[in-house]
Amino acid sequence: MKNKIKIAVFASGNGSNFQAIADAVKAGSLNTEIALVVTDRPNAYVVERAKQANIPSFAFMPSDYDSKQLYEEMLKEKLASLQVEWIVLAGFMRLIGPVLLGAYENRIVNIHPSVLPAFPGKDAIGQTMAAGAEAAGVTVHYVDAGMDTGSIIAQESFKVNGRSREAVEKEIHAIEHRLYPATLQRLFTQ
Ligand code: GAR
């Protein structure tokens, strides 16, 4: 049988999507190995979650490097040493640059809390609410050099129907936590 695909999960914050992925791996519904959690914020809660899940994490400060190219070279080496094959972005709030895009062509995915191409970038849920949009939702997509512009792999939406931001956010996270592991499993078994 083919070895499990090894992934690195990149996250900058709470890490609830990392948690959903780690839980799916543990439950056997996602056949992959999380080799490493990478964060650009050493104090992010995702580091604690990784520890609890017994998954190694690596934190770096982008400001310690003179350029994105230099920190991406460092990450590329690190991922190569662990034989990481895919990068899974889960709330990683930085654009990926040419070094990692080149090393992981068509093997970097992201989850975004809107129905792309609507509301790319930061605070997509806030943007959705401020625009009075009829629908909110979640997109899983390949990562390219743009901001949330890569080709779409999976998408789910629902009607806002006058709900509060809090309620919309809750629904979005519930969708994310189900959709991301399921989409990864589909990608890895294709
Ligand atoms: C998620 O809602 C994810 O879709 C979003 O950040 C949140 C991270 O939550 N990502 C983006 O906005 C990317 N542009 P988490 O840390 O609890 O997984």
Side-chain angles (χ1 to χ4, degrees):
M1 206 178 92
K2 193 175 170 287
N3 280 341
K4 280 183 191 173
I5 285 179
K6 286 191 181 187
I7 67 171
V9 177
F10 284 32
S12 301
N14 175 15
S16 70
N17 280 284
F18 156 73
Q19 189 74 60
I21 292 165
D23 290 349
V25 170
K26 203 166 169 196
S29 57
L30 173 53
N31 189 30
T32 187
E33 179 185 334
I34 308 172
L36 190 66
V37 170
V38 173
T39 186
D40 58 336
R41 294 199 190 141
N43 296 323
Y45 187 59
V46 71
V47 173
E48 178 59 30
R49 290 185 188 270
K51 200 166 146 195
Q52 296 290 331
N54 261 321
I55 293 168
S57 67
F58 174 72
F60 72 104
M61 295 280 284
S63 56
D64 288 345
Y65 297 81
D66 284 339
S67 65
K68 185 186 291 259
Q69 183 186 337
L70 285 176
Y71 77 65
E72 287 204 344
E73 299 274 9
M74 172 278 295
L75 290 174
K76 182 178 145 182
E77 297 280 302
K78 187 143 200 91
L79 300 186
S81 75
L82 295 168
Q83 284 116 35
V84 166
E85 294 160 272
W86 285 71
I87 296 174
V88 173
L89 307 183
F92 187 68
M93 295 305 184
R94 271 171 204 281
L95 282 177
I96 301 297
V99 173
L100 288 177
L101 285 172
Y104 287 89
E105 205 181 343
N106 290 321
R107 285 178 295 126
I108 308 180
V109 289
N110 182 42
I111 190 155
H112 184 77
S114 78
V115 190
L116 290 172
F119 313 122
K122 287 202 175 129
D123 191 20
I125 302 175
Q127 293 186 56
T128 303
M129 299 310 288
E134 217 171 275
V138 174
T139 304
V140 179
H141 64 95
Y142 285 106
V143 172
D144 63 14
M147 174 91 81
D148 304 317
T149 50
S151 61
I152 291 169
I153 304 165
Q155 206 160 44
E156 238 179 84
S157 69
F158 60 92
K159 288 249 174 2
V160 173
N161 270 343
R163 268 183 279 185
S164 68
R165 180 193 162 123
E166 215 180 8
V168 167
E169 200 160 342
K170 199 167 164 207
E171 174 97 32
I172 283 180
H173 289 311
I175 293 173
E176 288 186 331
H177 299 161
R178 174 173 46 74
L179 186 66
Y180 213 6
T183 304
L184 293 173
Q185 173 66 4
R186 188 158 56 78
L187 281 176
F188 298 161
T189 49
Q190 258 169 18

